mmCIF file of all heavy atoms in Angstrom:
data_model
loop_
_atom_site.group_PDB
_atom_site.id
_atom_site.type_symbol
_atom_site.label_atom_id
_atom_site.label_comp_id
_atom_site.label_asym_id
_atom_site.label_seq_id
_atom_site.Cartn_x
_atom_site.Cartn_y
_atom_site.Cartn_z
ATOM 1 N N CYS A 94 16.341 -7.204 -21.392
ATOM 2 C CA CYS A 94 15.412 -7.912 -20.655
ATOM 3 C C CYS A 94 15.528 -7.610 -19.125
ATOM 4 O O CYS A 94 14.695 -8.070 -18.320
ATOM 5 C CB CYS A 94 15.530 -9.431 -20.866
ATOM 6 S SG CYS A 94 14.856 -9.896 -22.498
ATOM 7 N N LEU A 95 16.622 -7.042 -18.630
ATOM 8 C CA LEU A 95 16.776 -6.587 -17.328
ATOM 9 C C LEU A 95 15.678 -5.544 -16.998
ATOM 10 O O LEU A 95 15.228 -5.476 -15.915
ATOM 11 C CB LEU A 95 18.128 -6.050 -17.019
ATOM 12 C CG LEU A 95 19.295 -6.971 -16.922
ATOM 13 C CD1 LEU A 95 20.626 -6.183 -16.897
ATOM 14 C CD2 LEU A 95 19.182 -7.820 -15.572
ATOM 15 N N ALA A 96 15.384 -4.715 -17.984
ATOM 16 C CA ALA A 96 14.417 -3.613 -17.873
ATOM 17 C C ALA A 96 13.017 -4.100 -17.959
ATOM 18 O O ALA A 96 12.079 -3.580 -17.195
ATOM 19 C CB ALA A 96 14.690 -2.524 -18.939
ATOM 20 N N HIS A 97 12.749 -5.063 -18.795
ATOM 21 C CA HIS A 97 11.384 -5.577 -18.994
ATOM 22 C C HIS A 97 11.549 -6.942 -19.610
ATOM 23 O O HIS A 97 12.404 -7.278 -20.381
ATOM 24 C CB HIS A 97 10.623 -4.628 -19.920
ATOM 25 C CG HIS A 97 9.129 -4.983 -20.066
ATOM 26 N ND1 HIS A 97 8.678 -5.940 -20.910
ATOM 27 C CD2 HIS A 97 8.091 -4.451 -19.410
ATOM 28 C CE1 HIS A 97 7.354 -5.951 -20.877
ATOM 29 N NE2 HIS A 97 6.984 -5.142 -19.859
ATOM 30 N N ALA A 98 10.568 -7.766 -19.306
ATOM 31 C CA ALA A 98 10.663 -9.201 -19.712
ATOM 32 C C ALA A 98 10.689 -9.321 -21.288
ATOM 33 O O ALA A 98 11.320 -10.253 -21.874
ATOM 34 C CB ALA A 98 9.367 -9.938 -19.249
ATOM 35 N N ASP A 99 10.040 -8.291 -21.997
ATOM 36 C CA ASP A 99 10.008 -8.414 -23.484
ATOM 37 C C ASP A 99 11.354 -7.863 -24.127
ATOM 38 O O ASP A 99 11.567 -8.047 -25.257
ATOM 39 C CB ASP A 99 8.839 -7.621 -24.032
ATOM 40 C CG ASP A 99 7.511 -8.297 -23.603
ATOM 41 O OD1 ASP A 99 7.540 -9.528 -23.317
ATOM 42 O OD2 ASP A 99 6.515 -7.612 -23.571
ATOM 43 N N GLY A 100 12.093 -7.099 -23.394
ATOM 44 C CA GLY A 100 13.362 -6.604 -23.743
ATOM 45 C C GLY A 100 13.558 -6.158 -25.173
ATOM 46 O O GLY A 100 12.708 -5.228 -25.660
ATOM 47 N N GLU A 101 14.461 -6.642 -25.963
ATOM 48 C CA GLU A 101 14.811 -6.216 -27.232
ATOM 49 C C GLU A 101 13.608 -6.492 -28.216
ATOM 50 O O GLU A 101 13.511 -5.815 -29.213
ATOM 51 C CB GLU A 101 16.000 -7.002 -27.743
ATOM 52 C CG GLU A 101 17.316 -6.567 -27.073
ATOM 53 C CD GLU A 101 17.589 -7.375 -25.808
ATOM 54 O OE1 GLU A 101 16.747 -8.275 -25.473
ATOM 55 O OE2 GLU A 101 18.615 -7.189 -25.200
ATOM 56 N N ILE A 102 12.737 -7.455 -27.917
ATOM 57 C CA ILE A 102 11.608 -7.654 -28.798
ATOM 58 C C ILE A 102 10.651 -6.488 -28.743
ATOM 59 O O ILE A 102 10.255 -6.011 -29.785
ATOM 60 C CB ILE A 102 10.905 -8.959 -28.368
ATOM 61 C CG1 ILE A 102 11.652 -10.255 -28.593
ATOM 62 C CG2 ILE A 102 9.503 -9.037 -29.164
ATOM 63 C CD1 ILE A 102 11.941 -10.524 -30.100
ATOM 64 N N ALA A 103 10.462 -6.000 -27.564
ATOM 65 C CA ALA A 103 9.590 -4.782 -27.357
ATOM 66 C C ALA A 103 10.219 -3.603 -28.083
ATOM 67 O O ALA A 103 9.506 -2.822 -28.747
ATOM 68 C CB ALA A 103 9.384 -4.517 -25.865
ATOM 69 N N THR A 104 11.457 -3.448 -27.933
ATOM 70 C CA THR A 104 12.184 -2.279 -28.584
ATOM 71 C C THR A 104 12.116 -2.379 -30.104
ATOM 72 O O THR A 104 11.777 -1.368 -30.769
ATOM 73 C CB THR A 104 13.623 -2.292 -28.154
ATOM 74 O OG1 THR A 104 13.731 -2.074 -26.730
ATOM 75 C CG2 THR A 104 14.371 -1.062 -28.831
ATOM 76 N N SER A 105 12.306 -3.574 -30.624
ATOM 77 C CA SER A 105 12.163 -3.775 -32.045
ATOM 78 C C SER A 105 10.840 -3.470 -32.609
ATOM 79 O O SER A 105 10.708 -2.731 -33.619
ATOM 80 C CB SER A 105 12.516 -5.238 -32.409
ATOM 81 O OG SER A 105 12.494 -5.462 -33.789
ATOM 82 N N LYS A 106 9.751 -3.860 -31.898
ATOM 83 C CA LYS A 106 8.445 -3.596 -32.419
ATOM 84 C C LYS A 106 8.168 -2.106 -32.253
ATOM 85 O O LYS A 106 7.503 -1.524 -33.162
ATOM 86 C CB LYS A 106 7.386 -4.392 -31.496
ATOM 87 C CG LYS A 106 7.447 -5.910 -31.759
ATOM 88 C CD LYS A 106 6.495 -6.600 -30.902
ATOM 89 C CE LYS A 106 6.419 -8.153 -31.176
ATOM 90 N NZ LYS A 106 5.539 -8.881 -30.318
ATOM 91 N N ALA A 107 8.597 -1.515 -31.177
ATOM 92 C CA ALA A 107 8.373 0.012 -31.028
ATOM 93 C C ALA A 107 9.136 0.729 -32.105
ATOM 94 O O ALA A 107 8.498 1.673 -32.640
ATOM 95 C CB ALA A 107 8.847 0.369 -29.612
ATOM 96 N N CYS A 108 10.278 0.345 -32.453
ATOM 97 C CA CYS A 108 11.039 1.067 -33.505
ATOM 98 C C CYS A 108 10.323 0.953 -34.776
ATOM 99 O O CYS A 108 10.213 1.947 -35.619
ATOM 100 C CB CYS A 108 12.471 0.494 -33.598
ATOM 101 S SG CYS A 108 13.538 1.010 -32.193
ATOM 102 N N SER A 109 9.828 -0.227 -35.170
ATOM 103 C CA SER A 109 9.137 -0.373 -36.406
ATOM 104 C C SER A 109 7.832 0.417 -36.453
ATOM 105 O O SER A 109 7.550 1.053 -37.439
ATOM 106 C CB SER A 109 8.808 -1.848 -36.661
ATOM 107 O OG SER A 109 9.968 -2.568 -37.047
ATOM 108 N N ASN A 110 7.182 0.449 -35.342
ATOM 109 C CA ASN A 110 5.940 1.224 -35.287
ATOM 110 C C ASN A 110 6.139 2.770 -35.424
ATOM 111 O O ASN A 110 5.327 3.454 -35.998
ATOM 112 C CB ASN A 110 5.136 0.909 -34.027
ATOM 113 C CG ASN A 110 4.512 -0.483 -34.020
ATOM 114 O OD1 ASN A 110 4.388 -1.069 -35.042
ATOM 115 N ND2 ASN A 110 4.096 -0.945 -32.799
ATOM 116 N N ALA A 111 7.352 3.138 -34.922
ATOM 117 C CA ALA A 111 7.655 4.580 -34.950
ATOM 118 C C ALA A 111 8.365 4.925 -36.208
ATOM 119 O O ALA A 111 8.578 6.116 -36.390
ATOM 120 C CB ALA A 111 8.554 4.963 -33.715
#
Side-chain angles (χ1 to χ4, degrees):
C94 286
L95 284 169
H97 188 275
D99 294 338
E101 292 86 359
I102 294 294
T104 302
S105 181
K106 291 179 178 178
C108 287
S109 284
N110 288 343

